[in-house]
Each structure stands twice: as C-alpha cells, then as structure tokens.
Amino acid sequence: IAGITQAPTSQILAAGRRMTLRCTQDMRHNAMYWYRQDLGLGLRLIHYSNTAGTTGKGEVPDGYSVSRANTDDFPLTLASAVPSQTSVYFCASSPGIRDSNEQFFGPGTRLTVL
Amino acid sequence: AQSVSQHNHHVILSEAASLELGCNYSYGGTVNLFWYVQYPGQHLQLLLKYFSGDPLVKGIKGFEAEFIKSKFSFNLRKPSVQWSDTAEYFCAVIRSNYQLIWGAGTKLIIKP
C-alpha cells in the first residue's frame, strides 16, 4: 500500500509559469488537504476537499486552485507562480472530515520559484 | 483568531534526558488536540491525540501528553529520549470546521 504519493519530489520554476502538483491516495479516503510548510510558520492549509466533487478554501488559498474529480486525486495548481510560493507542499488525506480522524501525509514537494 | 504556540523552536538534549515540549492553544471551546512528528526524510505521522476522557494520553514510542484545560496546554513528554527521537514535532488543534491549526514546530536534536 503506497498511501499518498506526490509528484514531483522537487521543482525549480520560473516566476509566471503555471505548475500543477500532483497528489494521489489509495486509501479511499473522503477528505484531502493541501498544506504549505514554511520555516517558523508550521503548516498552513491552502485548500481542502471533504469529498469528491467538492473543494474549499483554507487559510492561504490565494494564487492556488484545486480540483477533485475523483476520490483518489487532488491536484494543486499554481496559475502564475510567484517567489513567495517557494515552499514545501504536503498533501494529506483522512477518512472523513470528522474531528476524530487522523490525517495521513504524503512525502512533500519542494518547490522553488525564481 | 485561533492559534497554536510551541514555545521552543529548537531543543537539544543528550540521550536519556527527559523531554517536555510545550504547546498552548487559544480557543475556549471543546478542542481536539494532536501531536505529529516528522523524522528526517520521512512523512509527517501522528504521535498521539486527545479528544475526550483521560487528559493524559499515551502515544507511540513512549511519548505521552497531558491536556490541561485551565492552562490551554497540551505538552508532550517522554521520560528518557533516544537518539532516534531526533525529529521535528508539531502540535495541532482542530477548528470548529474540522480544519487543523498547526504550531510552528519544534526541532529536537538528541546527542548520542
């Protein structure tokens, strides 16, 4: 069982370019999340999805978009990357949105925007 | 705004020392609290969680945490640390809309 996979592992991107970070889970979890991790700030939620077909905004959604066409995939798109989006991005999933559910994390994508 | 504070950004200990990492949250209602750990080169994983009942919760690898409602705290403890406990530790609290709010993390280095 792979759990959650993310691609790419790392990427260097020129400012203004479009980029999609991929996330796939094989646990049939309903809820999925995208976080960014920045030094001294911990993890901040970008977008989330409670179930396939629905998405919601987290704490820092500006400049990012997501889609949830099916249960397994939850891609994160940067339409026009800016240097402040340099960060480590983590995808996570949980069985549902109930507060008792543990979140399971992917290995992360390290993104550098120049 | 709801927030989670972790008091120490970096902690360095020798093996066999006792560990306590502080975590305070600002939220007056019912809370669900978590500690996650990220070992070098590995995924974030759950260490322990508190939802209700006994305020002293035990997690994996000998870790425990105590929920003290009056102090808005959920400190992580381990009586005797090992070199393999070197990692970054994150405290988190569930918001009313089921979203996690995270602390900034504490990097723990254990000297062999």
Side-chain angles (χ1 to χ4, degrees):
Chain A
I1 297 177
I4 297 180
T5 57
Q6 292 184 236
T9 302
S10 64
Q11 181 75 45
I12 299 173
L13 189 66
R17 297 295 296 270
R18 180 183 179 89
M19 176 74 191
T20 295
L21 308 184
R22 299 184 298 278
C23 174
T24 300
Q25 54 107 354
D26 63 2
M27 297 176 282
R28 308 303 294 172
H29 284 172
N30 285 317
M32 296 187 75
Y33 314 84
W34 272 106
Y35 293 93
R36 58 178 290 172
Q37 183 183 21
D38 301 292
L39 193 63
L41 296 176
L43 278 77
R44 292 180 292 169
L45 183 66
I46 304 171
H47 285 287
Y48 65 94
S49 169
N50 292 336
T51 189
T54 69
T55 63
K57 293 182 179 181
E59 184 183 359
V60 288
D62 294 342
Y64 306 95
S65 63
V66 291
S67 61
R68 187 86 183 278
N70 57 61
T71 297
D72 298 343
D73 301 300
F74 191 44
L76 175 74
T77 297
L78 289 68
S80 178
V82 295
S84 62
Q85 292 177 311
T86 293
S87 188
V88 181
Y89 291 85
F90 288 99
C91 181
S93 72
S94 65
I97 63 166
R98 287 178 57 83
D99 49 14
S100 61
N101 286 312
E102 171 186 353
Q103 291 186 16
F104 296 82
F105 285 81
T109 293
R110 184 174 296 275
L111 181 67
T112 303
V113 182
L114 302 176
Chain B
Q2 296 165 337
S3 66
V4 177
S5 298
Q6 293 184 239
H7 311 303
N8 306 98
H9 288 191
H10 293 89
V11 173
I12 301 174
L13 295 172
S14 298
E15 275 195 315
S18 65
L19 170 71
E20 182 161 2
L21 300 182
C23 173
N24 285 90
Y25 61 92
S26 63
Y27 181 58
T30 301
V31 290
N32 299 315
L33 298 152
F34 302 79
W35 276 98
Y36 278 81
V37 61
Q38 188 174 25
Y39 296 103
Q42 295 188 26
H43 305 188
L44 273 158
Q45 57 185 285
L46 183 69
L47 202 53
L48 49 78
K49 62 184 178 183
Y50 171 80
F51 287 88
S52 63
D54 189 344
L56 184 64
V57 293
K58 296 191 183 298
I60 60 172
K61 303 186 180 184
F63 285 90
E64 64 180 30
E66 186 174 12
F67 170 55
I68 303 180
K69 188 174 181 179
S70 61
K71 295 185 177 180
F72 298 90
S73 70
F74 190 55
N75 292 354
L76 181 70
R77 301 195 294 245
K78 185 170 183 178
S80 177
V81 293
Q82 301 171 310
W83 176 79
S84 58
D85 293 324
T86 294
E88 189 160 15
Y89 294 81
F90 294 91
C91 182
V93 61
I94 286 276
R95 291 174 69 165
S96 55
N97 61 356
Y98 306 116
Q99 295 178 19
L100 278 172
I101 300 177
W102 296 79
T106 297
K107 288 190 176 180
L108 175 65
I109 297 173
I110 306 300
K111 298 183 295 182

